[in-house]
Amino acid sequence: GAGVSQTPSNKVTEKGKYVELRCDPISGHTALYWYRQSLGQGPEFLIYFQGTGAADDSGLPNDRFFAVRPEGSVSTLKIQRTERGDSAVYLCASSSSGSANEKLFFGSGTQLSVL
Amino acid sequence: AQSVTQLGSHVSVSEGALVLLRCNYSSSVPPYLFWYVQYPNQGLQLLLKYTSAATLVKGINGFEAEFKKSETSFHLTKPSAHMSDAAEYFCAVRPQAGANNLFFGTGTRLTVIP
């Protein structure tokens, strides 16, 4: 596709439920990032994939959060037993190779609301 | 640890006036520095980046930023604000080696008054 696509754009769920958020990066980009943006804050790093592997998952807040990228393209962020504090915009970004000086291309995000 | 501080969560300027958005970084070694802009209902877009080639960096839409090592700053400027510049601006830092992600500031919301 032309850009990074995230689905759904909005997700409303109840406390305790399981959710999956999808990211479709720019074709050919090997690096994929997930960020979380709370109201009034800058994006906060969650996890970085290089190809199929999670090269850095140091930003995941706890073991309720998990992400996969099985074929090195589409990625899914999975949140178990959601809590109200998980409400935020979840952003996905991709870049060509993951080099430190590279431009990141961001999707429009998924607004997650946990009631 | 890498971090950036953006002074002023909200900045208002008149159309045609100078835009100055402040960013200071914390790093023992000069990192790579970025400014991203987020328009309403859109994803973050790169405005410009500093990668140690030149201290004055020109970006899109007439924006530029100057890297000042002595001040650990990377302030964003534009000589004349346009209504379309109204958005949220984020400064971000990434070390040249050893880390795999951008660290973002808390953002500055720019309002342009007609």
Side-chain angles (χ1 to χ4, degrees):
Chain A
V4 178
S5 176
Q6 291 188 246
T7 54
S9 55
N10 282 281
K11 176 69 177 179
V12 180
T13 191
E14 294 178 346
K15 180 175 177 296
K17 299 290 188 183
Y18 168 83
V19 295
E20 289 188 353
L21 311 179
R22 175 187 169 105
C23 173
D24 201 340
I26 291 174
S27 179
H29 280 191
T30 62
L32 185 146
Y33 306 79
W34 283 99
Y35 283 82
R36 178 169 70 176
Q37 187 175 15
S38 301
L39 197 62
Q41 300 296 316
E44 178 188 21
F45 170 74
L46 295 177
I47 187 169
Y48 160 65
F49 285 90
Q50 181 57 248
T52 60
D56 184 347
D57 64 359
S58 61
L60 294 177
N62 52 59
D63 61 5
R64 296 187 297 105
F65 288 75
F66 189 71
V68 295
R69 195 186 185 198
E71 297 178 357
S73 55
V74 172
S75 176
T76 305
L77 179 65
K78 308 181 181 195
I79 310 174
Q80 298 177 322
R81 304 183 304 280
T82 52
E83 300 178 357
R84 293 195 178 87
D86 298 334
S87 296
V89 177
Y90 289 81
L91 300 172
C92 178
S94 70
S95 70
S96 178
S97 68
S99 297
N101 60 353
E102 267 188 340
K103 170 183 177 179
L104 265 59
F105 293 82
F106 282 84
S108 298
T110 294
Q111 172 73 63
L112 176 65
S113 300
V114 182
L115 304 180
Chain B
Q2 306 291 319
S3 68
V4 287
T5 302
Q6 291 185 244
L7 291 176
S9 58
H10 291 85
V11 171
S12 293
V13 299
S14 297
E15 191 174 16
L18 171 72
V19 176
L20 171 60
L21 305 182
R22 299 178 186 273
C23 172
N24 289 85
Y25 68 91
S26 171
S27 175
S28 57
V29 176
Y32 295 132
L33 291 155
F34 304 78
W35 275 99
Y36 280 82
V37 61
Q38 188 172 35
Y39 297 104
N41 301 314
Q42 294 186 30
L44 287 137
Q45 302 173 33
L46 180 69
L47 268 180
L48 49 79
K49 62 178 180 179
Y50 166 75
T51 58
S52 71
T55 56
L56 183 62
V57 181
K58 294 188 184 297
I60 62 171
N61 300 337
F63 284 93
E64 63 182 37
E66 185 172 9
F67 172 74
K68 292 187 176 181
K69 184 178 177 181
S70 61
E71 299 178 5
T72 60
S73 69
F74 191 57
H75 302 330
L76 182 70
T77 60
K78 181 174 180 177
S80 177
H82 193 274
M83 295 298 293
S84 61
D85 295 326
E88 185 106 28
Y89 292 80
F90 292 94
C91 183
V93 62
R94 181 166 182 173
Q96 296 193 23
N100 297 304
N101 69 89
L102 288 176
F103 296 87
F104 284 87
T106 52
T108 298
R109 180 164 298 281
L110 176 66
T111 299
V112 182
I113 304 165

